[in-house]
Amino acid sequence: MNKDKQLRQEVAEEIEKHRNLVKQDPYRLHYHLMPPVGLLNDPNGFIQMNGKYHLYYQWMPFKTGHGAKFWGHYSSKDLVNWKHEEIALTPSEWFEKNGCYSGSAIEHEDHFFVFYTGNVKNEQGERETYQCLAVSKDGIHYEKKGPVVTLPEGFTAHFRDPKVWKQNELFFMVVGAQTKDLKGTVVLLKSNDLFNWDYVGILAGGGKGKLGDFGYMFECPDLFKLNGKDILIFSPQGLEPKGMNYQNVYQAGYVVGQFNPKTGEYDHHLFEELDRGFDFYAPQTTVDNQGRRLLFAWMSVPDQNEQEHPTIEYKWIHNMTLPRELKLIDGKIHQTPVKELENLRDSEMISYSVKLNKESKELDGISGKTIELMLDRIEVVEGWMEISISDAGRIIYSSDQKIFTFERKSYVDGTTEKRQCMLEELKSLRIFIDTSSIEIFINNGRETFTSRFFPNPANQHISFSASKEVSFTVDKWNLGNI
């Protein structure tokens, strides 16, 4: 039996071994993408082709820690109902023996061309890195072509996560990298045929330009056009907290600019975080046949107390965000849940028009652990309003301070921890709760807060409070399973 077949068989045995235990976890999600067993992280190869969406993902099926990653695979025709496909890539060849790391997919000549990082470590722990290619007709069965990009001069072996696109009859690739003097950067390459690649130069970072000295590593870059501008999304590592910004171990965000494909130059503005919550990293986008720019992200952050995570005892960990549509409005990215997610709603909508005056109130039927809430026409003239979710989460807006806050009970030590952003006015909220995850979309997605949290499974209460006078409308739906 060859190495690829052996690994696939071992994964199948691991899934079957822990299938019942995974299902017993009260914190298993109902309408988010998760691994069948083991650890999930970065979204990879997100693409729509022949009317079907494909989302691959970093997968360690044998444990809830990191290691030699596989590419798991989900597919869907509607972004709501997903099928878990067979493994796309196994770390079975010499150039990927320590992991088929993150990458992207592009359609070319009616085939899937997948680019990914082959991770190799020698006995001394020294890393080698290769940008590799695999090709498929159906998106399920891949033929590996091996390395197509080796490490250029001037960079450490932390050189990974290729994202490829076509522009002006050329193919371009951005790669997350680290310079020899330990500066985070995005590297640009180009090709005529997807097999032979030429190094163009540093696109952003590297201790130069408007980013300056901006962390020691950039991961998961993604360059695309949105509303006439060129957006570069990436995940910098090594930023120090600054006020309400950069509060997680690592960040995910973007810069807005103009890319010149002839010269490889990219003139851009300053960095802005994509999400203000506890758990959002390694986002990847694609454009679909409706012309929408869609995004998935990993609902976690690397090196963030994974050993304390409540789902580990059930042999799985982590999940994806909901799919989101991106729009650029007044120079800022807005994120909204894709419209197809409305198909998760059951037929019964519960609605209220609410006025609070120095009081706390629960509303009959506004509760649950797999729900969507829509608050609109919010008026907090002075003081604050609060939404308490079970015993583990609180949403607070202070109209006096102009601060929006999400608090959760830490799953490590039970203390209260918070993430915040400045918000001039709170107009609307759209909230998705899925047992142990919450995604909050503020003012039609101008700000988002994405987090895992772990309420008492028996406590599904939601209450609304105000320090003075507050009014709003609220609609609630129960959401079904994927």
Side-chain angles (χ1 to χ4, degrees):
M1 183 182 297
N2 65 32
K3 182 69 177 297
D4 178 80
K5 289 184 177 179
Q6 178 184 344
L7 287 170
R8 290 173 186 273
Q9 180 175 320
E10 290 174 0
V11 170
E13 292 171 354
E14 192 73 9
I15 292 173
E16 189 60 33
K17 177 181 178 182
H18 297 298
R19 185 185 304 276
N20 290 334
L21 181 61
V22 169
K23 287 182 178 179
Q24 292 171 17
D25 188 357
Y27 293 126
R28 190 78 170 158
L29 305 173
H30 288 250
Y31 56 89
H32 285 77
L33 298 179
M34 302 165 289
V37 69
L39 178 145
L40 169 152
N41 59 308
D42 303 1
N44 295 157
F46 185 26
I47 191 172
Q48 185 191 34
M49 188 168 163
N50 299 326
K52 184 180 288 188
Y53 295 94
H54 297 264
L55 183 70
Y56 305 88
Y57 65 91
Q58 290 286 279
W59 187 19
M60 168 40 65
F62 301 120
K63 59 182 180 178
T64 54
H66 296 272
K69 299 292 177 59
F70 295 66
W71 271 37
H73 181 195
Y74 276 101
S75 70
S76 174
K77 293 182 178 179
D78 60 7
L79 294 170
V80 174
N81 300 286
W82 293 86
K83 177 185 178 183
H84 196 260
E85 304 282 3
E86 62 181 81
I87 294 167
L89 300 174
T90 68
S92 57
E93 305 293 338
W94 68 266
F95 49 80
E96 60 189 12
K97 69 183 184 70
N98 295 105
C100 299
Y101 277 15
S102 292
S104 60
I106 186 172
E107 179 182 355
H108 180 59
E109 297 180 343
D110 201 32
H111 281 69
F112 294 77
F113 278 63
V114 156
F115 294 85
Y116 65 99
T117 299
N119 185 44
V120 178
K121 292 182 181 178
N122 63 22
E123 294 180 357
Q124 289 73 43
E126 297 169 328
R127 186 188 301 266
E128 298 172 12
T129 184
Y130 305 93
Q131 310 316 308
C132 305
L133 170 63
V135 179
S136 172
K137 178 65 176 175
D138 59 8
I140 297 174
H141 306 96
Y142 277 89
E143 178 184 354
K144 294 176 182 175
K145 303 296 185 180
V148 293
V149 175
T150 54
L151 184 65
E153 290 293 326
F155 303 96
T156 74
H158 291 287
F159 189 88
R160 53 182 174 265
D161 313 332
K163 182 73 192 299
V164 175
W165 75 99
K166 188 176 184 180
Q167 186 171 351
N168 292 4
E169 302 305 315
L170 282 176
F171 298 99
F172 291 92
M173 175 191 292
V174 283
V175 182
Q178 181 184 67
T179 63
K180 283 288 181 68
D181 58 351
L182 308 185
K183 308 294 186 185
T185 188
V186 174
V187 167
L188 180 69
L189 301 100
K190 65 180 180 180
S191 171
N192 290 305
D193 59 6
L194 292 174
F195 288 87
N196 300 284
W197 291 88
D198 295 322
Y199 172 76
V200 177
I202 288 178
L203 184 76
K208 301 175 183 178
K210 291 178 181 175
L211 289 175
D213 190 359
F214 200 68
Y216 57 78
M217 176 66 192
F218 291 176
E219 292 193 311
C220 303
D222 190 350
L223 183 65
F224 56 89
K225 194 168 288 292
L226 197 61
N227 195 22
K229 299 292 186 180
D230 294 301
I231 310 298
L232 176 65
I233 286 178
F234 61 101
S235 296
Q237 299 183 333
L239 305 185
E240 294 295 324
K242 186 177 181 181
M244 297 177 189
N245 298 327
Y246 315 150
Q247 290 296 311
N248 292 331
V249 178
Y250 306 125
Q251 279 62 54
Y254 66 97
V255 293
V256 179
Q258 291 294 150
F259 171 62
N260 186 331
K262 293 182 179 179
T263 64
E265 295 175 337
Y266 180 56
D267 182 32
H268 61 80
H269 300 301
L270 297 177
F271 179 84
E272 184 158 355
E273 289 180 271
L274 266 169
D275 192 277
R276 305 292 185 168
F278 291 91
D279 298 287
F280 184 96
Y281 194 76
Q284 186 172 105
T285 76
T286 194
V287 63
D288 73 355
N289 59 18
Q290 299 178 48
R292 299 180 299 179
R293 178 60 59 172
L294 305 180
L295 174 147
F296 270 101
W298 176 35
M299 199 183 288
S300 188
V301 174
D303 303 328
Q304 187 166 270
N305 297 312
E306 288 181 338
Q307 68 278 6
E308 306 289 342
H309 211 275
T311 68
I312 283 179
E313 62 179 298
Y314 294 92
K315 302 298 182 181
W316 76 280
I317 188 170
H318 302 320
N319 58 280
M320 292 297 174
T321 65
L322 292 174
R324 306 171 180 190
E325 181 179 0
L326 304 185
K327 294 182 179 178
L328 187 68
I329 302 173
D330 297 330
K332 182 177 174 61
I333 286 183
H334 289 53
Q335 304 174 66
T336 54
V338 295
K339 186 172 179 56
E340 289 91 333
L341 293 174
E342 294 177 8
N343 293 322
L344 287 169
R345 298 169 177 173
D346 66 11
S347 58
E348 182 182 3
M349 179 180 73
I350 299 174
S351 298
Y352 288 92
S353 181
V354 182
K355 290 187 178 181
L356 301 175
N357 189 358
K358 300 179 182 178
E359 61 184 314
S360 181
K361 183 181 293 187
E362 292 188 20
L363 304 172
D364 188 34
I366 307 293
S367 62
K369 60 182 181 180
T370 55
I371 64 172
E372 177 188 350
L373 295 176
M374 183 87 77
L375 281 75
D376 209 351
R377 298 199 290 275
I378 300 173
E379 292 189 15
V380 189
V381 178
E382 56 180 333
W384 50 261
M385 76 169 289
E386 174 188 312
I387 306 171
S388 292
I389 303 163
S390 183
D391 58 347
R394 290 202 309 162
I395 295 168
I396 306 163
Y397 177 66
S398 168
S399 64
D400 300 334
Q401 296 177 303
K402 309 296 185 187
I403 294 176
F404 186 97
T405 302
F406 175 69
E407 292 183 352
R408 74 175 181 186
K409 182 170 66 176
S410 168
Y411 58 79
V412 177
D413 58 14
T415 59
T416 298
E417 50 188 0
K418 65 184 178 182
R419 295 289 182 265
Q420 297 179 300
C421 74
M422 300 301 300
L423 189 69
E424 187 65 27
E425 183 181 10
L426 179 61
K427 299 177 181 179
S428 67
L429 288 171
R430 192 173 177 190
I431 304 166
F432 289 82
I433 299 170
D434 189 359
T435 64
S436 59
S437 77
I438 183 167
E439 293 175 68
I440 306 167
F441 299 86
I442 305 165
N443 296 349
N444 294 317
R446 181 174 176 83
E447 299 285 358
T448 63
F449 282 68
T450 301
S451 299
R452 298 296 303 278
F453 72 148
F454 297 91
N456 181 335
N459 186 341
Q460 300 183 29
H461 294 283
I462 295 174
S463 64
F464 302 87
S465 305
S467 65
K468 295 184 180 179
E469 290 188 14
V470 168
S471 63
F472 56 90
T473 62
V474 58
D475 300 328
K476 175 255 182 176
W477 296 268
N478 292 321
L479 300 185
N481 296 344
I482 285 183

